[in-house]
Amino acid sequence: MSDIGSGDEGISSQKYHGQGMDAGGNNFDSGQQQQEQELATKMLQIQSKRFYLDVKQNRRGRFIKVAEIGADGRRSQIFLAMSTAAEFRDHLSRFSDYYSSLGPPNTDNVPDDGKLKSEMMLKDNRRYYLDLKENSRGRFLRVSQTITRGGPRSQIALPAQGMIEFRDALTDLLDDFGTDDGGYKGELPEGRHLRVDNKNFYFDIGQNNRGIYMKVSEVVPSLQVKSNFRTAITVPEKCWSRFRDIMADYCDKMSRAQLSPQDTHQGGSGSGRAGSAQPGREMDTFGGSSASRI
């Protein structure tokens, strides 16, 4: 269970109402509220911030949503697979030990980027960056969640003094619900790349709490700006076979049309001319509501 596809989701729990929060997060539960069950929740008050740790379950497995509520009511959140939450818990112990070994803050001896210690976690197509930092307001652990190939970034900032309390709360939840993510257990295929003229196509296989998917990205050099223009589609694994069949059908039709162009000019003496009617477009409909798509 993990990541994918992406997109922020709205306020999904009554406990967040009335806080004046913006929408944040990622696609672990975007559009899935009606299919999810909240199994447990813990709230921590650390300095001026509140942190909610929600264990959720849907048809694909379990995960933990961590929401940070600032003093001004703004919300940030990240999503952790159960196995990732266990890895994060272990990192919290090491970060806390390192933090305890530090002396008092010294503004004259802080790295330019403010980072004191950093680690990285990788889960399927998601990366988590853990940075113990220091600024004029103190020391804190910033946890950033990103999606590979330029996806959106979401992050929380945990005051360093609260790392042990946060770790203990996370440990309680993992003791109760385990570290099994559910879903597919095998190794996902590696990504592929195809170049056609000035275009690049990337085929990446990923997995999130709604299943396995293929992300097809098209990258075209932009003449207006010094960067590339990227578009992408996401195809759920349950319809790959039909997607392949449709592509094969079009390839077959184009091959026959190119090999026998004279066939398009032959036919009976009907009342209409060949090619005068527009054929209907074939449409495939897959079961389930739009919210269940990747």
Side-chain angles (χ1 to χ4, degrees), residues 61-106:
R62 293 175 178 172
F63 60 96
I64 295 179
K65 179 173 73 173
V66 180
E68 171 199 335
I69 314 299
D72 57 358
R74 300 170 81 181
R75 180 179 69 166
S76 302
Q77 60 189 25
I78 61 173
F79 295 85
L80 302 168
M82 301 302 286
S83 60
T84 307
E87 184 180 354
F88 179 43
R89 173 198 57 195
D90 296 339
H91 277 301
L92 283 172
S93 294
R94 289 188 284 271
F95 272 95
S96 180
D97 291 342
Y98 180 80
Y99 168 69
S100 299
S101 70
L102 296 175
N106 183 357

Side-chain angles (χ1 to χ4, degrees), residues 11 16 18-25 48-52 66-77 137 155-157:
I11 298 171
Y16 299 129
Q19 303 297 333
M21 291 168 284
D22 57 345
S48 62
K49 297 180 177 182
R50 282 179 294 124
F51 293 88
Y52 290 92
V66 180
E68 171 199 335
I69 314 299
D72 57 358
R74 300 170 81 181
R75 180 179 69 166
S76 302
Q77 60 189 25
R137 295 186 297 275
Q155 63 186 32
I156 62 171

Side-chain angles (χ1 to χ4, degrees), residues 28 32 35-37 56-61 63 209:
F28 269 90
Q32 293 287 317
Q35 298 183 14
E36 285 180 356
Q37 177 185 5
K56 291 177 172 285
Q57 176 174 286
N58 59 25
R59 62 189 180 89
R60 294 294 180 179
F63 60 96
N209 67 311

Side-chain angles (χ1 to χ4, degrees), residues 46 49 51 68 76 140-144 155-160:
I46 302 176
K49 297 180 177 182
F51 293 88
E68 171 199 335
S76 302
F140 61 95
L141 179 66
R142 185 180 67 186
V143 184
S144 304
Q155 63 186 32
I156 62 171
L158 174 65

Side-chain angles (χ1 to χ4, degrees), residues 161-270:
Q161 298 93 324
M163 287 191 292
I164 290 295
E165 183 180 359
F166 194 99
R167 181 204 63 186
D168 291 345
L170 196 57
T171 298
D172 289 343
L173 294 174
L174 293 170
D175 287 344
D176 289 340
F177 296 99
T179 60
D180 184 13
D181 300 334
Y184 180 71
K185 302 298 184 184
E187 184 175 348
L188 297 176
E190 294 184 359
R192 301 285 296 272
H193 169 234
L194 171 66
R195 181 175 179 86
V196 181
D197 298 329
N198 69 327
K199 295 184 177 183
N200 288 282
F201 295 92
Y202 295 92
F203 301 81
D204 296 299
I205 308 301
Q207 181 180 9
N208 60 20
N209 67 311
R210 291 192 292 280
I212 298 171
Y213 60 90
M214 177 189 297
K215 180 180 178 184
V216 183
S217 305
E218 175 191 359
V219 180
V220 182
S222 175
L223 299 179
Q224 286 75 26
V225 295
K226 297 180 179 180
S227 62
N228 295 330
F229 179 72
R230 178 187 296 268
T231 58
I233 63 170
T234 303
V235 185
E237 188 267 342
K238 65 181 180 182
C239 66
W240 286 359
S241 296
R242 185 58 184 145
F243 195 91
R244 174 201 61 198
D245 293 343
I246 292 173
M247 291 295 296
D249 183 57
Y250 278 124
C251 290
D252 182 59
K253 288 178 179 178
M254 291 303 299
S255 295
R256 285 189 280 113
Q258 292 170 1
L259 290 174
S260 306
Q262 67 276 13
D263 292 344
T264 60
H265 302 290
Q266 297 176 356
S269 56

Side-chain angles (χ1 to χ4, degrees), residues 26 125 246 285:
N26 282 281
N125 68 329
I246 292 173
T285 303

